[in-house]
Amino acid sequence: MLLKILYVSFPRYLKRYGVANAALYATYRLANSAIILLIFKVMTLEPGDLDWSLIAGQDERWKFLGPDELGRFSEQDLSLELDPSFLSAAFARGDLCYGFVENGILGSYTWYATGPTPLSKHLTAYFRHDYIYMYKSFTALAFRGRHLCGIGVSRAFHSLTREGIHKRLVSYVEVHNQPSLKALRRAGFKSVGKAVVLGGKSPRLSCTSPGSPVVFRIKNRSRMARD
């Protein structure tokens, strides 16, 4: 991993995002090779910040996808990271998947949740009731460069908030992940704070900066069970 960071990933980040972002990326990845140190930017999308030009006109390639359809796509392409156990758990919670299908191929998707959502084996995300949590955004390699993430988020936001129960989106991105940060900012997301997770082989401590706890919190499941 060390050699990959120094000789592959670092030069790529340096070329695309500059010295400061490349240094942050390398430091972050090296730290996580020894311990778990996760630093997230908590991002929210308000109706007034949405780029409405991204949802102009009808486009049948964008739609909410059901478990059977996603299961078929997953069988055809394992790189989509949609294994049966994940799909079963996500749909059991009531989560929704909004995706882009072109010529029978799933090119991009993002998941949306309205209740507590597992982030990992040890961590769960909690958020305010009038927010929708956006997670697990994916664009296939052949479809990248078309800004599908921003377009899909904008279209899903418009559909999901239409009834007025939920008014905003919330998500998080690791601080070194410049491609994802860029995609969310392009869609209109703004940073409202940070969340930090720290631990050895498994996370033991999680906290959020002032402003974030009102909107978004990360809790350790083992600590919740003890409490």
Side-chain angles (χ1 to χ4, degrees):
M1 177 181 286
L2 176 60
L3 293 177
K4 181 179 179 181
I5 293 172
L6 293 177
Y7 294 103
V8 180
S9 302
F10 179 80
R12 185 183 67 220
Y13 256 67
L14 182 64
K15 181 178 180 180
R16 296 190 64 180
Y17 304 111
V19 175
N21 287 319
L24 173 62
Y25 173 83
T27 302
Y28 187 90
R29 292 297 303 275
L30 289 171
N32 274 279
S33 66
I35 62 172
I36 294 177
L37 174 60
L38 306 176
I39 306 175
F40 306 113
K41 281 194 175 183
V42 180
M43 313 281 287
T44 62
L45 179 62
E46 304 277 345
D49 296 324
L50 184 68
D51 184 354
W52 293 100
S53 67
L54 294 176
I55 60 174
Q58 296 292 324
D59 191 335
E60 294 182 354
R61 294 174 298 179
W62 289 102
K63 59 182 177 178
F64 287 101
L65 301 165
D68 292 340
E69 192 170 12
L70 287 170
R72 289 194 298 272
F73 285 130
S74 179
E75 290 176 358
Q76 296 168 5
D77 185 357
L78 297 179
S79 71
L80 292 173
E81 301 176 7
L82 295 170
D83 62 85
S85 60
F86 166 79
L87 291 176
S88 178
F91 281 110
R93 291 191 302 269
D95 297 357
L96 297 172
C97 180
Y98 191 73
F100 178 82
V101 180
E102 186 175 69
N103 298 323
I105 300 173
L106 178 58
S108 181
Y109 67 80
T110 301
W111 285 83
Y112 299 88
T114 57
T117 307
L119 303 181
S120 69
K121 179 180 178 181
H122 302 281
L123 302 171
T124 299
Y126 291 82
F127 42 94
R128 213 167 73 182
H129 72 280
D130 57 336
Y131 279 76
I132 295 173
Y133 171 52
M134 187 192 89
Y135 72 101
K136 197 173 177 63
S137 185
F138 177 91
T139 300
L141 185 62
F143 290 80
R144 292 176 187 174
R146 298 168 60 176
H147 304 322
L148 294 180
C149 176
I151 296 171
V153 168
S154 300
R155 288 182 172 275
F157 181 92
H158 177 66
S159 178
L160 291 168
T161 59
R162 194 174 299 168
E163 295 181 1
I165 299 173
H166 304 97
K167 301 176 181 178
R168 304 166 183 86
L169 291 183
V170 61
S171 190
Y172 73 89
V173 180
E174 290 187 74
V175 292
H176 73 287
N177 191 339
Q178 292 301 316
S180 293
L181 286 170
K182 186 176 180 180
L184 291 190
R185 287 173 182 145
R186 187 184 297 119
F189 277 84
K190 294 182 178 178
S191 175
V192 296
K194 290 185 174 67
V196 179
V197 175
L198 178 65
K201 293 183 179 180
S202 63
R204 296 297 178 188
L205 174 67
S206 61
C207 61
T208 49
S209 65
S212 298
V214 177
V215 176
F216 181 86
R217 293 171 295 156
I218 297 175
K219 291 188 177 181
N220 187 305
R221 291 191 198 178
S222 60
R223 177 175 296 177
M224 290 167 58
R226 290 196 299 271
D227 294 341

